[in-house]
Structures are given as C-alpha cells and as structure tokens.
Amino acid sequence: MSAIDEARPETTEAEPLAIEPPAVPLLNRVAAELVGTAALVAVVVGSGIQATELSKDVGVQLLANSLATVFGLGVLILLLGPISGAHFNPVVTLAEWWTGRKDPKGLGAREVAAYIPAQIAGAIGGAILADAMFGQALVKWSTHDRSAGHLLIGEVVATTGLVLLIFGLAKTDHLRFAPVAVASYIGAAYWFTSSTSFANPAVTIGRAFTDTFAGIAPSSLPGFIGMQLIGGVVGLLLVALIFDQRRRAAAAK
C-alpha cells in the first residue's frame, strides 16, 4: 500500500528528499498507479476467495491471504517503483505531497489530483477482476461489518507504521529496501493489528465491492478511511520526531 524510487540518485543534506521520479511522464506514472493498485487488490481479494474455497479454517485462510499479499506487493513495488514511486495508496501520495511541498521537484497538486482517482479506480477494477476470475458476482457490496472501535484503532496503528516505515527509509537513504521492507511490514500487520491492516483508502474502497473474505461493508468505509488519514498524520509526526535530526542540527548552526 507504498512508495519507492530506486532510480533516484543519492540525496545530500542540502537536497530535499523525494520519492517521486520526476523525469517519467505523468501519463506513465498514473497508468502505473492504476495498474499497480488494481493488481494489489486483485491479489488481496483473489487470494481471499481461493483461501476460503480450499480451507474452512479462518487461521489458514488469513495465512494464505497474508502470504499472497506479501509476495504480490513486493513484486509490484519492485516493478513499478521506478515509474511512479509505487504508492498505490492515497495516504502515501498525500504524505509525499506534504513533505515535498516546498521542493519544486516534489509531487505537486496536479500529480496528486491524477494519482488518487487512478488508485481508487484501480482498486475497484482489481476487486471486480478478482470476482470475475473466481466466478463471483462482479459487483456485490460486502456485508462484512468492520465498524467496531478496536478495528479503527488497528487502522490508525497500521497506517502510522506504514508511513513511518516508508518515509523513514527515505530519510535514511534506504528506499532500495522498500520492496522487502514494506511487503514484510504489511504481512506482519495482517497479524498484529485487529483490522488486518488495510492501511489504504483506495484498497478499502475497492474491497467494499466484493462480498468475499477480504470485503468490507460500505457502511464501515468512513470510519476506516478516517482512521487511515489520522494514521498518516501521526506517521509523519513520528518521522519528523525521529528522523529530522539533520534539519534541526542545520537550523541550530
């Protein structure tokens, strides 16, 4: 649900960190975000359907779903990171825009306005594709209610950790490890958060279109998306608290 730019050269203390590769045309980047988000949701939903058809054990179902997501997400970040940054997530896109808003080479409002609709459209398309592959109704609203308070706390935690990880890697010049690190974090968060770590508004919307293992009832969307946005803000605050020592040291001189 994440950003990576392995093609970008090393940054220096005087050079603002940016995840977005600005040399790639916007059309290509938007296409990468749409296709990548669609593929991610197809992996999440499709593996959930497959798991429920192969086993009645919920633990086994979740294990299969999480493993497929880990591998699929890692491959997608590795493949599409050099093109669009592999956000696949409006929270990541908004966080990058905010952190790079003073950088003329950073992600601008035009890119944000193109990325987020592409991510949402991709997520919906991925859910429909997964349903089609497994002979399900192409669009059937999920009845899986996820509105309980403890699940909302889980979404704040999951999204906070994701943003902290991605932008912490950027601050320490370790984005080359993002395919493994981000995929590993999401796989772990499937299990250590009560919500199974959606951590992504676009993916959350897409999963409302399928009444299968990975679905979420439309009535639960506002709560989940609101908590994800809060988690994004908290994640950025933690990044500033933990990783901005160089900026503070420079300002003190």
Side-chain angles (χ1 to χ4, degrees), residues 166-223:
I166 293 170
F167 290 88
L169 289 174
K171 289 285 187 181
T172 56
D173 298 329
H174 287 136
L175 272 176
R176 61 190 177 278
F177 299 116
V180 172
V182 173
S184 297
Y185 172 78
I186 292 298
Y190 255 88
W191 291 89
F192 79 77
T193 65
S194 56
S195 63
T196 65
S197 184
F198 284 46
N200 184 329
V203 169
T204 302
I205 292 170
R207 289 168 67 166
F209 282 73
T210 177
D211 192 20
T212 58
F213 180 78
I216 177 172
S219 60
S220 300
L221 292 182

Side-chain angles (χ1 to χ4, degrees), residues 1-97:
M1 325 125 142
S2 309
I4 178 174
D5 171 21
E6 297 189 309
R8 190 174 187 276
E10 292 287 332
T11 58
T12 65
E13 287 192 26
E15 183 182 5
L17 284 162
I19 301 173
E20 201 68 32
V24 180
L26 180 59
L27 178 61
N28 299 83
R29 288 184 275 154
V30 170
E33 286 298 301
L34 188 150
V35 172
T37 312
L40 174 59
V41 174
V43 168
V44 172
V45 174
S47 62
I49 297 171
Q50 184 80 286
T52 56
E53 291 183 352
L54 295 176
S55 174
K56 300 302 180 184
D57 188 311
V58 177
V60 172
Q61 293 169 359
L62 185 61
L63 178 61
N65 194 211
S66 61
L67 285 176
T69 302
V70 167
F71 294 131
L73 179 58
V75 168
L76 289 169
I77 295 173
L78 185 64
L79 176 65
L80 299 175
I83 305 301
S84 69
H87 299 186
F88 314 146
N89 188 334
V91 168
V92 174
T93 298
L94 290 170
E96 187 183 337
W97 166 76

